[in-house]
Amino acid sequence: MKKLVLLGALALSVLSLPTFADEKPLKIGIEAAYPPFASKAPDGSIVGFDYDIGNALCEEMKVKCVWVEQEFDGLIPALKVRKIDAILSSMSITEDRKKSVDFTNKYYNTPARLVMKAGTPVSDSLAELKGKNIGVQRGSIHERFAREVLAPLGAEIKPYGSQNEIYLDVAAGRLDGTVADATLLDDGFLKTDAGKGFAFVGPAFTDVKYFGDGVGIAVRKGDALKDKINTAITAIRESGKYKQIQDKYFAFDIYGK
C-alpha cells in the first residue's frame, strides 16, 4: 500500500511540473550579418540586439531558443516550410509581407537613411542620385524602396546578399552609397574604420508604404505563437529587461513612439 501511495505521489508530482518542460524548442530564423542587431563574434557565436531580445523572449515564455541562420531573403520561405517557427531578424512590418506571414507587435522602430561620401549634396528631391550606384540588401524593404523611388530618379540599384558586402564595395568606391536602417548604418559602418569619410546624406525615409509600422517578429499565418510573443514583449518591457538590452547597444530609445 505504501508503495502505491508513493507511486501515486510521484505521478502527481510529474504532472504538476511546469508545462514548459515539455515544450518543443522555438526555432528562430536570423541573418547574422546585420550589426549591431545580429552578427558573428570571433568565436562564431551570434551576438547582437536581435539575438539578446530573442533569448529574453524565450526566457519569458519558458521555452528553449534554437537559432537557425539563414540569408535574409530566405527567411520567409524557411518559415513557410516549417524549417523555423519565427523570424527575428530586423524584419519590418509591411503590408506586402503581411500577405505571407503574421507579425507580432513591433519590438523596435527606426528610419531608413542614405549613406554616401561625406559632403555629397543630396536634397529632399533626391535628384542628385541620378547615375549613382546605390547598394541595397536583396529581399529587404530598402530594395523595394530603392527600386520604386530611387530608380525612377535615375539611380542604379545594385542588390547584394548582405549589408556587409555592401559596406566593402562602398568603402572601395565600387558603390556611391547605400540605403538601409539608420541605426544599422551608424553602428555597422559609419562608426567603423571603413566608414571614415562617409556620412548620412539627404532626408530620413519613413514612408509607411515601404517601411511599415516598425520591426516585428514574423510567424506563420494564424499561428497562436504570435499572441504568446506579444505577451512576452510586453512583459520584458515592463520588467526593465528590454531597456537593459537596449542600453547595451544604443544610447537612445530604439523602441520609438
Side-chain angles (χ1 to χ4, degrees):
M1 179 63 73
K2 287 182 179 179
K3 288 183 178 180
L4 288 173
V5 171
L6 180 59
L7 288 171
L10 286 171
L12 286 172
S13 66
V14 170
L15 289 172
S16 64
L17 286 172
T19 56
F20 67 79
D22 297 321
E23 289 278 353
K24 292 181 180 179
L26 184 63
K27 293 178 290 185
I28 304 178
I30 190 169
E31 184 202 36
Y34 204 65
F37 297 98
S39 60
K40 286 293 194 69
D43 65 0
S45 61
I46 303 173
V47 295
F49 177 77
D50 282 351
Y51 180 72
D52 288 354
I53 287 292
N55 286 329
L57 292 173
C58 284
E59 182 180 352
E60 180 65 34
M61 294 186 290
K62 297 180 172 59
V63 296
K64 179 183 178 182
C65 272
V66 175
W67 293 91
V68 180
E69 289 186 61
Q70 181 87 44
E71 284 198 358
F72 191 82
D73 58 356
L75 285 168
I76 289 179
L79 180 66
K80 287 185 172 183
V81 299
R82 298 180 178 271
K83 181 179 178 182
I84 55 177
D85 303 308
I87 299 169
L88 204 168
S89 193
S90 291
M91 185 170 282
S92 295
I93 304 166
T94 66
E95 291 303 317
D96 189 51
R97 286 178 178 149
K98 284 180 184 177
K99 296 173 185 176
S100 300
V101 299
D102 282 346
F103 278 100
T104 65
N105 298 334
K106 72 171 185 178
Y107 67 96
Y108 79 84
N109 192 12
T110 54
R113 294 294 305 270
L114 177 67
V115 160
M116 300 180 75
K117 280 282 189 182
T120 302
V122 178
S123 63
D124 287 352
S125 71
L126 306 175
E128 297 86 350
L129 297 184
K130 183 176 181 180
K132 302 295 185 183
N133 291 312
I134 305 298
V136 290
Q137 185 169 9
R138 188 181 298 111
S140 69
I141 57 172
H142 306 99
E143 179 183 17
R144 182 189 171 204
F145 168 77
R147 291 194 183 283
E148 295 186 11
V149 176
L150 305 186
L153 297 173
E156 297 291 332
I157 309 306
K158 309 292 185 181
Y160 284 73
S162 75
Q163 197 64 36
N164 286 338
E165 295 174 51
I166 295 173
Y167 296 152
L168 291 173
D169 278 3
V170 169
R174 290 185 287 270
L175 289 171
D176 296 301
T178 180
V179 172
D181 177 87
T183 305
L184 167 77
L185 291 170
D186 191 32
D187 286 277
F189 184 61
L190 294 180
K191 289 180 180 177
T192 69
D193 289 340
K196 289 180 179 177
F198 294 89
F200 288 125
V201 299
F205 305 120
T206 58
D207 190 337
V208 173
K209 175 182 177 182
Y210 297 103
F211 304 108
D213 299 308
V215 171
I217 300 166
V219 299
R220 284 182 287 276
K221 282 284 189 179
D223 195 331
L225 179 61
K226 180 180 80 170
D227 294 333
K228 294 179 181 179
I229 296 175
N230 278 338
T231 299
I233 291 172
T234 299
I236 66 171
R237 281 187 54 74
E238 291 178 348
S239 70
K241 182 66 176 178
Y242 181 96
K243 188 176 187 305
Q244 180 184 338
I245 295 170
Q246 169 190 275
D247 292 349
K248 180 179 174 182
Y249 297 97
F250 312 111
F252 59 94
D253 177 15
I254 196 171
Y255 187 78
K257 296 180 180 179

